[in-house]
Amino acid sequence: MDTLRTPSAADRVYEHVRQGVLSGRYPDNELLAEGVIAAETGVSRTPVREALLRLEAQGMIRLLPKRGALVLPVTAQEWRDVLDTRQLVESHCTRWVIESGRGPAVARALEVPLADLRAAADSQDLPAYVAADRTFHATIVAAGNNMILIRLYGSLRDRQMRMGAANLSAPDGEPDTGRMRSTVADHEAIAAAIRHEDLALAEHLTREHLRHADRALRGVRP
């Protein structure tokens, strides 16, 4: 018997709007109209309201009575908190991977997201790049074999992907090709340090990678 649940109309709207926010199709501070979303997704307004309530509970939008839903930007405090948490979790898991002798195996697993990063950079596909970036780091965290940290890291997913899109966008909103290619090099270097089980270098590169993201999010360009 097929146990897969067919997504409800509200589920489909939720994912449509969520992906729109994550990809930047719905930019920060844009006002979304229920009627427009209903037309985009081919549903009535009732499931649209249900989906928007879920997104509001997650802090992604704010419902404005009789006006629609306002896309909330990730605040400066949020992205600092996310980067600090990532530093702690990713460094811990990198240390565990290398000290347990799993560096070469994890480096092999990283080859897939690395290939995806290169392909996305070549095609200037920002959503695909952000997804591959997230997979790269999540692979290291998953290899740390700590379920509490894995769940904690998973809770950062949507903020992490929104920040990734902002980090890799030029001032005009287009993909920043130079930034994409420099972060490909960052990931390649981190994977190589893990492969060679060079803990000090892997931790240093991870720290610098996140520091560069912090500078980009603050608008500090090289």
Side-chain angles (χ1 to χ4, degrees):
M1 183 176 67
D2 187 1
T3 58
L4 293 177
R5 184 177 71 88
T6 301
S8 68
D11 290 336
R12 296 197 306 274
V13 176
Y14 168 83
E15 196 57 32
H16 173 80
V17 177
R18 175 178 169 273
Q19 288 298 332
V21 173
L22 294 181
S23 68
R25 179 163 46 86
Y26 298 141
D28 293 349
N29 298 310
E30 179 161 327
L31 190 62
L32 309 179
E34 287 185 9
V36 172
I37 296 172
E40 289 176 347
T41 55
V43 303
S44 69
R45 292 198 180 200
T46 298
V48 171
R49 292 190 193 101
E50 292 176 16
L52 293 179
L53 283 169
R54 287 172 61 187
L55 291 161
E56 183 178 47
Q58 295 171 359
M60 195 170 286
I61 64 168
R62 178 185 300 145
L63 292 175
L64 303 176
K66 299 182 180 180
R67 295 182 60 195
L70 182 70
V71 178
L72 296 177
V74 178
T75 67
Q77 186 61 54
E78 281 181 290
W79 55 250
R80 288 192 189 100
D81 291 347
V82 169
L83 290 174
D84 285 348
T85 304
R86 286 188 58 189
Q87 175 64 48
L88 291 169
V89 174
E90 292 178 30
S91 293
H92 172 84
C93 292
T94 298
R95 176 178 291 275
W96 191 93
V97 162
I98 291 175
E99 291 182 344
S100 66
R102 299 194 61 217
V106 172
R108 286 193 295 274
L110 293 174
E111 291 174 4
V112 173
L114 275 175
D116 291 341
L117 282 167
R118 296 185 192 102
D122 288 342
S123 61
Q124 298 183 37
D125 186 337
L126 184 55
Y129 191 97
V130 170
D133 179 292
R134 210 271 169 185
T135 299
F136 178 95
H137 295 287
T139 298
I140 297 171
V141 173
N145 204 32
N146 183 314
M147 289 308 302
I148 293 176
L149 291 182
I150 291 169
R151 285 193 292 270
L152 171 62
Y153 199 79
S155 73
L156 304 176
R157 179 187 61 180
D158 285 357
R159 287 184 178 88
Q160 190 174 340
M161 294 183 74
R162 289 185 74 186
M163 290 166 60
N167 176 24
L168 296 163
S169 296
D172 62 2
E174 292 299 312
D176 185 334
T177 305
R179 176 76 182 136
M180 292 171 81
R181 295 196 183 285
S182 71
T183 57
V184 169
D186 287 353
H187 291 94
E188 290 172 337
I190 291 169
I194 291 173
R195 178 182 300 109
H196 295 113
E197 300 182 302
D198 188 332
L199 177 58
L201 180 58
E203 289 186 324
H204 169 74
L205 291 170
T206 298
R207 185 166 53 252
E208 286 299 293
H209 179 61
L210 295 175
R211 187 178 69 82
H212 293 158
D214 173 67
R215 287 173 58 84
L217 286 164
R218 287 189 288 114
V220 180
R221 298 282 170 173

